[in-house]
Amino acid sequence: SDYPVFPSEVEVSRPGADGYFSDWPHPVLTLVIESQGVCAWGVALDGPEAGQVVVGWAEDPEVAPTVVYCPDVQSFIGIRAWDRGERDEIHLSAQAKELDSLALTFLRAQLSQGPTTYGWPCRENYRFEGDGLRILLWSCPGQCDWFVSGTEVTMRRWTPRLLALSDLASALYATDD
């Protein structure tokens, strides 16, 4: 689980200072630090991106620059809740080949697209839901991680349709206990 930044630990990163947002041109208020310390999310306090949530890295910013993750803190909180999902559902996952336009077009036509986020854990992260189904995609260069959840009835109805996408027929597996 990631670590929220509590009031006693509030930190504002300044441009050029060491830290997760060292390459960002304006001050950033840190909100959450990723569980392994790889990255952090913060809200931009000034400039054209003021109010937007950015994700910055512990690595060299030349390798992993700070980027806008989502439009605002309210969206950030909603996205974090959405990503945690329902606990009483069936869960399937896949580490599949890179997301292709056919799969993305199918999902957009069949389900409602939720917010897309950028920069962590992949360059683009898509969310879809509808008909009792929820799909989170971490779309990275060379691969796409799929996280699919729904009730037993929903999964029986949707799994055959999903198996026709990407290489899910060989990559999809159950992640339930």
Side-chain angles (χ1 to χ4, degrees):
S1 175
D2 298 334
Y3 305 106
V5 176
F6 293 101
S8 64
E9 302 164 337
V10 167
E11 177 183 308
V12 175
S13 296
R14 303 282 176 205
D18 287 342
Y20 291 102
F21 311 105
S22 62
D23 61 325
W24 197 252
H26 304 285
V28 175
L29 174 66
T30 304
L31 299 173
V32 176
I33 299 172
E34 191 267 341
S35 64
Q36 297 175 21
V38 173
C39 68
W41 295 267
V43 61
L45 297 177
D46 200 2
E49 296 86 2
Q52 295 181 2
V53 174
V54 297
V55 60
W57 305 88
E59 296 182 29
D60 178 354
E62 298 282 327
V63 176
T66 300
V67 298
V68 173
Y69 179 79
C70 68
D72 53 45
V73 174
Q74 182 176 350
S75 299
F76 178 75
I77 292 167
I79 288 162
R80 303 279 294 190
W82 195 98
D83 289 355
R84 299 294 184 267
E86 300 296 324
R87 300 289 178 224
D88 60 343
E89 296 181 335
I90 293 174
H91 297 269
L92 302 176
S93 297
Q95 195 169 53
K97 67 182 185 179
E98 189 167 346
L99 184 62
D100 58 46
S101 61
L102 183 67
L104 201 51
T105 299
F106 173 84
L107 294 171
R108 285 177 170 151
Q110 298 295 315
L111 301 167
S112 296
Q113 185 169 352
T116 300
T117 54
Y118 303 91
W120 177 261
C122 290
R123 69 172 179 236
E124 295 174 321
N125 307 287
Y126 298 98
R127 292 158 184 84
F128 296 93
E129 65 183 322
D131 194 28
L133 185 73
R134 294 164 51 95
I135 299 175
L136 172 60
L137 303 176
W138 292 349
S139 181
C140 296
Q143 80 176 48
C144 182
D145 293 344
W146 291 65
F147 302 94
V148 182
S149 62
T151 64
E152 185 175 347
V153 170
T154 298
M155 296 304 273
R156 278 194 216 147
R157 186 171 51 248
W158 274 92
T159 300
R161 295 155 81 182
L162 295 174
L163 292 177
L165 302 175
S166 184
D167 59 344
L168 294 184
S170 62
L172 205 60
Y173 61 91
T175 56
D176 295 328
D177 295 335

